[in-house]
Amino acid sequence: MNRKYRKTVIAGNWKMNKTPSETKEFMTQLKAILPKGRWCDIALCVPAVCIPAAVRAMRETRVGIGAENCNPNPSGAYTGEISTAMLTDAGCKYVIIGHSERRAMGETDADVNAKVTAALDAGLIPIMCCGESLEQREADITEEWITTQIKLGLAGVSEERIRKVIIAYEPIWAIGTGRTATPEQAEDVCKLIRTVVRKLYNSKSARAISILYGGSMNDKNAYELLAQPDIDGGLIGGASLVPEKFVKIIEAANQPAV
Ligand code: PEP
């Protein structure tokens, strides 16, 4: 982390978990134990039907609510889809884009790019995910793969808007597997991402952008991961479903910044 130049962000990704009633219950429990200090931004990205309950429950708090996906088109014949305008109107601040579970359902880098652009146009903060598979890591093409994902995902995003984007590095082999990247592995790729941003934009933008690590981050390993200079927070799946665990990760972000 480097709090001097950029925000630390602890974001939860609930995936397809919890009903609206369970959301209300979770938020009540979270509010009761939420740390008062403001050393990081906190986001909870929840299933679309849970957004109203989450926004209502967290209105007076510092927790921003987000969605897990969006459609880049403004409106129209896209049955089952949700536009960025719908998300902002519902009270969302963030939206996860390009999660590997969505990419596995066919989402391309071009789709990711269109969604990032639409999110920025609507005033949402996109949390743009990237990450390599185990095969790609073993074939030693992680650097090339991540560089391509970042370049294509950010295509056409202006220098003024790049700071509003959050990038999450999520190695696919570490998501939901309990197999976390080592702090060194995670740092190496987050540092690479910052270098790619520097080359695409400039040093100032690279220094200002928040880059998160995601992949089995939990209350036990968060401190060490967050101690890395280029890891500015976490995108957390499983551990964000339990208020006590999520709060422990928030607390782990309260450490001397590099
Ligand atoms: C995720 O879904 O973005 C994620 C990182 O999941 P988990 O923390 O469960 O590995």
Side-chain angles (χ1 to χ4, degrees):
M1 297 185 304
N2 188 328
R3 276 198 290 269
K4 189 168 163 205
Y5 294 114
R6 47 193 179 258
K7 281 182 179 168
T8 302
V9 183
I10 300 297
N13 171 20
W14 277 8
K15 312 192 190 202
M16 198 171 75
N17 291 295
K18 296 198 190 289
T19 61
S21 314
E22 288 165 347
T23 300
K24 196 175 163 197
E25 208 175 303
F26 174 98
M27 297 300 172
T28 305
Q29 289 170 16
L30 180 64
K31 272 198 284 192
I33 55 171
L34 200 61
K36 298 273 180 288
R38 288 181 172 263
W39 51 82
C40 63
D41 285 2
I42 305 169
L44 273 168
C45 299
V46 303
V49 293
C50 300
I51 291 169
V55 168
R56 213 175 303 121
M58 301 318 262
R59 193 158 281 147
E60 305 298 327
T61 75
R62 49 188 290 241
V63 178
I65 301 304
E68 299 175 9
N69 183 32
C70 64
N71 186 288
N73 295 290
S75 62
Y78 304 100
T79 302
E81 293 292 285
I82 297 174
S83 73
T84 53
M86 292 171 186
L87 296 179
T88 43
D89 193 62
C92 281
K93 186 173 171 192
Y94 301 90
V95 58
I96 296 174
I97 293 171
H99 191 281
S100 60
E101 288 156 15
R102 295 213 62 87
R103 290 182 189 257
M105 291 178 218
E107 193 163 290
T108 64
D109 285 315
D111 295 329
V112 170
N113 180 243
K115 291 180 184 195
V116 167
T117 305
L120 288 168
D121 287 345
L124 290 164
I125 299 173
I127 303 178
M128 187 184 89
C129 303
C130 62
E132 82 287 2
S133 66
L134 191 56
E135 294 71 38
Q136 288 166 329
R137 174 161 283 265
E138 284 172 352
D140 215 11
I141 57 164
T142 301
E143 189 171 330
E144 190 185 323
W145 181 256
I146 299 291
T147 303
T148 303
Q149 283 190 322
I150 299 297
K151 280 188 180 166
L152 297 178
L154 294 179
V157 173
S158 68
E159 197 184 312
E160 295 77 59
R161 302 217 293 186
I162 183 61
R163 284 154 183 253
K164 301 200 173 91
V165 177
I166 294 173
I167 297 177
Y169 166 55
E170 298 208 309
I172 297 168
W173 47 272
I175 298 177
T177 58
R179 181 178 169 186
T180 321
T182 63
E184 294 72 27
Q185 285 172 325
E187 167 62 17
D188 281 352
V189 181
C190 289
K191 193 175 175 181
L192 161 76
I193 294 169
R194 205 176 300 287
T195 304
V196 175
V197 172
R198 184 176 303 117
K199 286 183 184 156
L200 288 175
Y201 297 89
N202 50 44
S203 304
K204 223 168 151 189
S205 303
R207 214 166 51 185
I209 195 165
S210 296
I211 302 175
L212 318 184
Y213 167 78
S216 299
M217 188 187 268
N218 58 39
D219 46 322
K220 311 270 180 320
N221 58 30
Y223 192 94
E224 227 192 317
L225 285 160
L226 297 171
Q228 303 303 311
D230 289 287
I231 300 180
D232 305 308
L235 181 56
I236 299 123
S240 73
L241 294 166
V242 182
E244 291 76 14
K245 288 189 183 174
F246 192 55
V247 160
K248 284 212 173 99
I249 298 173
I250 294 167
E251 281 165 348
N254 185 20
Q255 53 179 282
V258 183

